[in-house]
Amino acid sequence: AQSVAQPEDQVNVAEGNPLTVKCTYSVSGNPYLFWYVQYPNRGLQFLLKYITGDNLVKGSYGFEAEFNKSQTSFHLKKPSALVSDSALYFCAVRDEGRGFKTIFGAGTRLFVKA
Amino acid sequence: DAGVIQSPRHEVTEMGQEVTLRCKPISGHDYLFWYRQTMMRGLELLIYFNNNVPIDDSGMPEDRFSAKMPNASFSTLKIQPSEPRDSAVYFCASRRTGGGQYFGPGTRLLVL
């Protein structure tokens, strides 16, 4: 069965510092991996995805994520955090070979202090 | 593109009433999903469709919940009768095969 874990409920970082939001996954086949962001009172917004190819994926708003097959991880990163990055971040995984359901993590709340 | 459109944005109703939530997916997307989000349970997948056909409704809480997708551009989620514990934000999302999901703004439901 496929699953995804976000080990941190909350991440705090100072503006201008690099940020990392962690995600690990489990699938039987080849994973499709996604990151979404949710701002207050809004729906989730797609940030980036990994399907195949380069392990470093670049997405919206300066975010990137690194796929690590041996560690089954897909951590979200940004070199320099902004206060406006404060939001709820969801990692998601889909085992494209075993159905079409995407499994979402519980979410990690990111606080960026000025 | 206008994105995924949901209506109403807010709904307040009394216990026992019927509630109908509506969704228009992005044109060309062949998958449609209904989610529910609460503080206690996070984001839950209720049901999803592929090419208008329900594929997996195992997340639907109980028989009071039903969903339809009569055509590629419209879906409804109905709760009858509604209960206070159904209060949540309900999201509709759509995607193409192989792509990421695009979420609507959500319907905030409060059942009194």
Side-chain angles (χ1 to χ4, degrees):
Chain A
Q2 58 196 41
S3 65
V4 60
Q6 293 181 243
E8 304 153 315
D9 290 335
Q10 183 171 311
V11 170
N12 297 312
V13 64
E15 188 173 35
N17 283 359
L19 70 86
T20 299
V21 183
K22 295 179 180 177
C23 172
T24 58
Y25 66 91
S26 173
V27 295
S28 302
N30 293 321
Y32 282 26
L33 295 155
F34 306 86
W35 275 102
Y36 293 83
V37 60
Q38 186 178 28
Y39 297 101
N41 301 314
R42 304 284 294 275
L44 279 70
Q45 294 180 38
F46 171 72
L47 273 181
L48 52 80
K49 69 178 180 182
Y50 170 84
I51 295 179
T52 187
D54 194 349
N55 289 345
L56 186 63
V57 179
K58 294 190 183 298
S60 306
Y61 312 121
F63 284 92
E64 56 190 27
E66 187 167 14
F67 171 65
N68 187 316
K69 188 173 183 178
S70 63
Q71 296 184 3
T72 61
S73 67
F74 189 58
H75 301 332
L76 181 70
K77 300 181 180 183
K78 188 172 183 180
S80 178
L82 300 172
V83 172
S84 57
D85 293 330
S86 298
L88 186 58
Y89 290 81
F90 291 92
C91 181
V93 65
R94 185 162 78 236
D95 186 344
E96 197 73 0
R98 286 178 171 263
F100 314 103
K101 188 188 305 188
T102 301
I103 304 298
F104 285 81
T108 297
R109 192 164 294 282
L110 173 67
F111 286 101
V112 181
K113 290 194 304 183
Chain B
D1 199 321
V4 176
I5 299 172
Q6 289 186 249
S7 65
R9 293 293 309 275
H10 303 272
E11 176 84 25
V12 180
T13 190
E14 293 186 345
M15 183 173 64
Q17 296 298 306
E18 178 179 293
V19 174
T20 299
L21 311 181
R22 298 172 177 79
C23 175
K24 177 178 168 54
I26 293 174
S27 178
H29 282 191
D30 49 355
Y31 288 88
L32 183 140
F33 304 81
W34 282 101
Y35 291 90
R36 178 170 67 178
Q37 187 177 37
T38 62
M39 289 292 291
M40 292 295 292
R41 294 189 299 268
L43 191 66
E44 302 174 277
L45 175 65
L46 300 177
I47 185 172
Y48 74 95
F49 297 81
N50 177 223
N51 292 323
N52 313 338
V53 177
I55 302 300
D56 186 346
D57 65 354
S58 60
M60 296 285 261
E62 46 199 275
D63 292 345
R64 297 185 296 108
F65 286 69
S66 61
K68 294 182 180 180
M69 191 166 185
N71 57 62
S73 59
F74 183 66
S75 177
T76 59
L77 177 68
K78 187 175 293 187
I79 309 173
Q80 167 62 16
S82 59
E83 296 182 2
R85 59 193 169 118
D86 301 331
S87 298
V89 182
Y90 290 81
F91 289 105
C92 176
S94 69
R95 68 169 176 89
R96 298 178 193 279
T97 298
Q101 293 183 30
Y102 290 81
F103 283 72
T107 295
R108 192 171 294 273
L109 173 66
L110 177 62
V111 183
L112 301 174

